[in-house]
Amino acid sequence: QDVEEVVNVKDAVLSCAAAEDKDGWQYLFPVKNAVLRSRLALRCLDKWPLDACLEILAYCISDLGIPHELKANLQSRKKELEVYQKILNVQNEPLWNDWQDLKKACTDDPQAVMNIILKAKDYELCEKWEHLYPVPREDLINLHREHLLHLLEVGDMEKALQLLQRIEDPGVCLAISEQSLDQHLNLAASHFLADYLTAHFYSSLTTARRNEIQALYIGSKVLLTLPELSRVNYFHLSSRPLLMLEQLLMNMKVDWVAVAVETLHQLLAGQEVGFTVEDIDNLLSKYAEKALNFPFTLKEKRSDAIKQLKSHSIFFWPGSFSGVTISASPRDRSLQQNLFPQEFVPPEKPPPKQQWIPDGTETICMVCKTERFTMFNRRHHCRRCGRLVCSSCSTKKMEIEACRENLSRVCDQCYSYYNRE
């Protein structure tokens, strides 16, 4: 009995020392009473450094003599501190001096803390942190979407499914699944998301989304009919097979189109995907008509225009005639520029490829300003000036500074400028 009283007195003295001293955690290890030690540890954690807190919590948890509820509290605090430890380790620049500062920031500025974790791409840590502090719904969707996209990108479908299953709110789960599907990561990821949405949220999907998913299944099979090395160029259209077919037509992949059309005709039987066999036939008819509509070459047009003008007994150009000023219309001025253009002066040095005129910015040749770019009248870049020109205006080749080719395709204006007699 005397020994027990001495132990109790000793525990009381150690407990007082642990509660008062900033390094008091050291005094808890000799305390014999496991319940007293554990309760005191939980009460004084905020005073002690992180490593010491984790060490004393692990020691208390290992004691078999503490009640289940108390042990659960110890484990919960230990998990919380482990999250703080990981956050402190992922920050590039020290924003918080210790875990106590970080804990305060989690309450005062949770967005900043979440951004630090997302920047490190530690999505599992972010998910653990989200369980400790309330996160706005929109931020929660963004967090889970980034995590899901990361897992799908690395091909870990099992963890992706586990993540979706852990999300308690069905609305959040539906939102991140649909948003991720819209990213078109890769074929496997798209099929995973399409299967998940169909299995768990089919009744919640719009008609457009259902058609898109069905079109994705069909488009994927069309994609697989293409040569393997070329599939990456058309993957982004896998949920829009009709547009994929049009892209193939525009790129003049006639043999590929034949196989794709045959595949689509087989797959569309009885399916609702937002387009029909008739739409395919209309698309083919449209491009067949374009294929027959070959324009005259520029040289023929110029020659005919000049002959017509010279055949007139009176030949003048709008502007000044017999002292009378005549205003030329915009159409006339354009024709005047085409027939009698001012001399073009190329840039001092050939522009690098990244500074060439982008393909989509011009619809007509920048030299003759007459030829319209079409499926069969392709754009060409002059290697000397970087402009977009038609084939009729880029018939010459010449040596270009810093160009790997011996002779590079140039526009006729650049060639004429550098080959004047």
Side-chain angles (χ1 to χ4, degrees):
Q1 186 176 355
D2 291 340
V3 171
E4 186 178 347
E5 289 179 0
V6 170
V7 170
N8 290 337
V9 171
K10 185 178 178 181
D11 281 356
V13 172
L14 290 170
S15 298
C16 290
E20 295 298 327
D21 200 313
K22 65 177 183 179
D23 296 323
W25 58 275
Q26 303 175 61
Y27 299 111
L28 284 184
F29 289 101
V31 173
K32 299 295 183 182
N33 188 324
V35 174
L36 176 63
R37 183 200 317 123
S38 299
R39 287 177 176 168
L40 196 58
L42 290 172
R43 189 195 308 174
C44 299
L45 282 176
D46 289 342
K47 300 179 181 180
W48 301 332
L50 183 58
D51 291 340
C53 292
L54 291 171
E55 186 178 353
I56 191 63
L57 285 172
Y59 182 73
C60 293
I61 291 170
S62 66
D63 199 307
L64 301 177
I66 58 173
H68 177 74
E69 184 178 351
L70 183 56
K71 187 172 185 177
N73 289 337
L74 291 167
Q75 290 171 333
S76 176
R77 288 308 304 273
K78 183 171 179 287
K79 288 180 180 178
E80 178 187 353
L81 291 176
E82 286 172 343
V83 170
Y84 295 143
Q85 185 182 48
K86 290 180 179 177
I87 296 175
L88 290 171
N89 289 337
V90 300
Q91 59 177 343
N92 292 327
E93 299 178 1
L95 299 177
W96 307 289
N97 295 323
D98 48 42
W99 74 269
Q100 288 88 347
D101 285 347
L102 173 57
K103 181 181 179 181
K104 186 174 184 300
C106 289
T107 304
D108 296 345
D109 191 5
Q111 186 66 50
V113 179
M114 188 171 76
N115 288 341
I116 290 290
I117 307 173
L118 286 175
K119 189 175 180 181
K121 293 189 175 182
D122 195 334
Y123 301 107
E124 292 184 3
L125 172 59
C126 210
E127 192 177 345
K128 290 176 182 177
W129 177 82
E130 171 258 317
H131 287 301
L132 297 175
Y133 294 93
V135 177
R137 189 176 188 274
E138 195 59 38
D139 291 338
L140 189 62
I141 290 174
N142 293 336
L143 162 64
H144 286 311
R145 185 189 65 245
E146 292 301 314
H147 191 184
L148 180 61
L149 288 172
H150 171 71
L151 293 173
L152 293 174
E153 194 170 358
V154 299
D156 198 335
M157 306 303 176
E158 184 177 351
K159 283 190 176 181
L161 180 60
Q162 291 172 358
L163 169 63
L164 291 170
Q165 291 172 339
R166 286 196 302 270
I167 299 173
E168 297 177 357
D169 186 339
V172 171
C173 198
L174 173 62
I176 68 168
S177 298
E178 290 200 276
Q179 290 177 15
S180 299
L181 181 62
D182 292 335
Q183 296 296 315
H184 303 289
L185 274 183
N186 53 59
L187 202 56
S190 297
H191 274 268
F192 170 86
L193 292 166
D195 291 343
Y196 183 82
L197 286 167
T198 302
H200 296 85
F201 296 104
Y202 189 79
S203 59
S204 303
L205 300 177
T206 63
T207 302
R209 179 66 79 179
R210 293 177 187 175
N211 288 344
E212 179 189 347
I213 289 175
Q214 193 60 43
L216 172 65
Y217 292 135
I218 292 176
S220 300
K221 293 181 180 179
V222 172
L223 189 69
L224 293 174
T225 67
L226 306 182
E228 187 173 354
L229 295 178
S230 299
R231 291 172 192 168
V232 65
N233 299 324
Y234 300 92
F235 162 72
H236 63 289
L237 300 172
S238 53
S239 61
R240 303 174 71 184
L242 196 62
L243 192 56
M244 187 193 303
L245 187 63
E246 184 168 10
Q247 190 71 53
L248 290 170
L249 286 165
M250 291 177 67
N251 293 336
M252 294 191 292
K253 305 296 184 182
V254 180
D255 293 340
W256 301 1
V257 168
V259 179
V261 169
E262 184 180 351
T263 304
L264 283 170
H265 276 236
Q266 294 172 357
L267 296 172
L268 281 176
Q271 297 288 350
E272 288 290 334
V273 295
F275 67 94
T276 63
V277 171
E278 185 179 354
D279 294 320
I280 297 174
D281 293 341
N282 290 337
L283 181 65
L284 294 175
S285 298
K286 172 185 172 183
Y287 277 87
E289 183 179 349
K290 284 186 176 183
L292 296 174
N293 186 26
F294 285 102
F296 290 107
T297 65
L298 169 65
K299 292 180 179 178
E300 290 172 337
K301 286 185 176 179
R302 279 185 175 171
S303 176
D304 289 346
I306 293 172
K307 285 179 181 177
Q308 288 175 14
L309 287 169
K310 286 184 176 180
S311 67
H312 288 75
S313 57
I314 300 175
F315 175 79
F316 68 93
W317 193 257
S320 175
F321 179 66
S322 300
V324 180
T325 301
I326 302 173
S327 176
S329 69
R331 183 174 178 275
D332 290 337
R333 285 196 297 269
S334 175
L335 184 58
Q336 178 184 10
Q337 290 170 4
N338 290 342
L339 292 175
F340 306 104
Q342 296 180 352
E343 183 181 24
F344 172 72
V345 180
E348 185 177 348
K349 292 184 178 181
K353 187 173 183 178
Q354 58 268 27
Q355 292 181 11
W356 290 355
I357 302 297
D359 284 349
T361 58
E362 298 291 336
T363 58
I364 61 174
C365 174
M366 297 178 71
V367 172
C368 65
K369 295 181 173 57
T370 304
E371 291 284 353
R372 184 170 296 277
F373 299 129
T374 67
M375 173 182 168
F376 299 100
N377 193 24
R378 306 298 293 275
R379 296 170 174 83
H380 300 280
H381 275 103
C382 172
R383 268 51 172 178
R384 185 58 190 77
C385 64
R387 294 181 299 170
L388 288 166
V389 296
C390 65
S391 58
S392 298
C393 292
S394 56
T395 58
K396 304 291 193 296
K397 290 187 177 183
M398 59 183 280
E399 290 185 4
I400 301 295
E401 178 187 349
C403 192
R404 290 179 298 178
E405 302 167 357
N406 293 331
L407 294 176
S408 303
R409 187 170 195 156
V410 295
C411 68
D412 292 353
Q413 287 182 337
C414 284
Y415 183 86
S416 298
Y417 184 86
Y418 288 103
N419 291 273
R420 291 177 292 186
E421 294 182 357

